[in-house]
Amino acid sequence: MNHFLKDKTVLITGASNGLGAELARQVAAQGAHTILTARSTEKLASLTTQIQADFGVISTYHKMDMTNFAEIEEVAGKLANTNIDVLVNCAGFGIFEEAVTTDFGTVERMFDTNVLGLMRLTQLVLPKMLAREAGHIINIASQAGKIATPKSSAYSATKFAVLGYSNALRMEVKTSNIHVTTVNPGPIATNFFDIADASGDYLKNVGFLVLKPEDVAAKTVAIMGKNKREINLPFAMNIISRLYQVMPRVIEFFGKSAFGKK
């Protein structure tokens, strides 16, 4: 039980399904009020109704496409008088394809969604947190931001960017009692892979490394309000990513077969 969340307000992007939706349910179960955003208003409406009925908290939603900066600014304007205690930047997508053949329009949408939209929303939410000297920003990154692998050049680049942004931001807001946490999961069994891996083979190939969204959400919710730098999942991938920092050539050599499972 995370008592910090009682009567707090949590804003979650990409909340219409997958990890975002699970995070919404779990913070509501802890007594937090939720503000949910995504592109699909139909799914958001259903989820907010469910949350209010099941947990008796206030739950609202806004249509927000993370590639549409005007829309992000519009939603932020509507929330100008709301004290957001926790911002969870969860929206994101990826495509597993070789760098040479990846459509550049797709690369741009990936950066807009995973990086630039995240940065713009954070920039708009942050001033009130700074004024109150309280808040927690949680950015859902990826183990792909620790180790780049074949067929994930653009996606890995976006997640490396999220980690770099988060690391700098953490130092900037440290004296204002605002926490910045990155959550770096490996593959999660969600509909993310419906887009990322059209073949459907990747999750089968990585087997025991696949995470359940319920477990990732639980670990994320548990650290809300706490000064936690990172959550790295699963344990095996975290160990490999740490080793990669000190001996990248060795890990790339021995990890060739594992890296090529996409």
Side-chain angles (χ1 to χ4, degrees):
M1 185 76 179
N2 187 343
H3 298 288
F4 163 81
L5 285 169
K6 179 67 175 174
D7 294 324
K8 294 295 194 296
T9 298
V10 181
L11 169 58
I12 304 172
T13 70
S16 59
N17 50 43
L19 178 59
E22 186 58 35
L23 283 165
R25 285 187 284 266
Q26 291 199 25
V27 297
Q30 304 284 323
H33 307 300
T34 63
I35 302 171
L36 310 179
T37 73
R39 291 179 300 171
S40 173
T41 53
E42 184 177 342
K43 290 180 180 178
L44 289 175
S46 176
L47 181 57
T48 55
T49 299
Q50 176 197 0
I51 284 173
Q52 291 180 128
D54 290 349
F55 306 112
V57 298
I58 299 170
S59 184
T60 59
Y61 69 90
H62 299 273
K63 179 184 180 299
M64 191 167 75
D65 182 341
M66 298 302 287
T67 68
N68 187 333
F69 304 133
E71 199 165 80
I72 293 172
E73 291 164 9
E74 180 183 351
V75 171
K78 291 177 181 177
L79 300 175
N81 295 321
T82 301
N83 287 331
I84 296 168
D85 299 290
V86 183
L87 167 62
V88 185
N89 285 305
C90 189
F93 82 99
I95 297 288
F96 293 159
E97 192 172 350
E98 291 186 353
V100 68
T101 55
T102 304
D103 175 73
F104 195 72
T106 300
V107 175
E108 289 181 313
R109 285 191 294 111
M110 224 181 294
F111 268 88
D112 284 348
T113 303
N114 299 0
V115 184
L116 299 181
L118 176 153
M119 292 172 68
R120 185 59 179 137
L121 179 60
T122 301
Q123 190 177 47
L124 293 167
V125 169
L126 193 53
K128 283 205 74 175
M129 288 186 174
L130 290 169
R132 294 166 54 220
E133 294 193 334
H136 195 165
I137 297 166
I138 299 176
N139 294 328
I140 307 298
S142 171
Q143 286 295 320
K146 301 275 189 173
I147 304 178
T149 57
K151 295 187 178 180
S152 68
S153 58
Y155 179 69
S156 287
T158 67
K159 295 305 183 179
F160 271 85
V162 169
L163 290 177
Y165 174 73
S166 302
N167 290 341
L169 181 63
R170 184 182 299 109
M171 290 186 282
E172 290 179 11
V173 302
K174 185 177 181 180
T175 58
S176 298
N177 195 38
I178 296 168
H179 306 316
V180 178
T181 302
T182 55
V183 179
N184 307 310
I188 308 174
T190 68
N191 61 348
F192 170 91
F193 288 99
D194 294 345
I195 298 173
D197 177 41
S199 71
D201 294 334
Y202 180 62
L203 288 181
K204 296 176 186 176
N205 291 339
V206 294
F208 74 96
L209 294 174
V210 178
L211 300 160
K212 295 179 180 178
E214 297 86 355
D215 294 339
V216 179
K219 290 184 181 297
T220 304
V221 171
I223 58 88
M224 289 182 178
K226 300 176 183 177
N227 189 15
K228 180 76 171 177
R229 181 184 180 87
E230 293 183 339
I231 299 174
N232 293 288
L233 302 166
F235 179 77
M237 291 187 78
N238 183 35
I239 295 299
I240 293 169
S241 70
R242 288 176 180 272
L243 292 172
Y244 184 77
Q245 304 308 310
V246 294
M247 45 183 176
R249 289 186 180 182
V250 173
I251 297 301
E252 287 174 1
F253 178 80
F254 287 104
K256 282 188 293 187
S257 61
F259 293 165
K261 290 185 179 295
K262 295 185 185 70

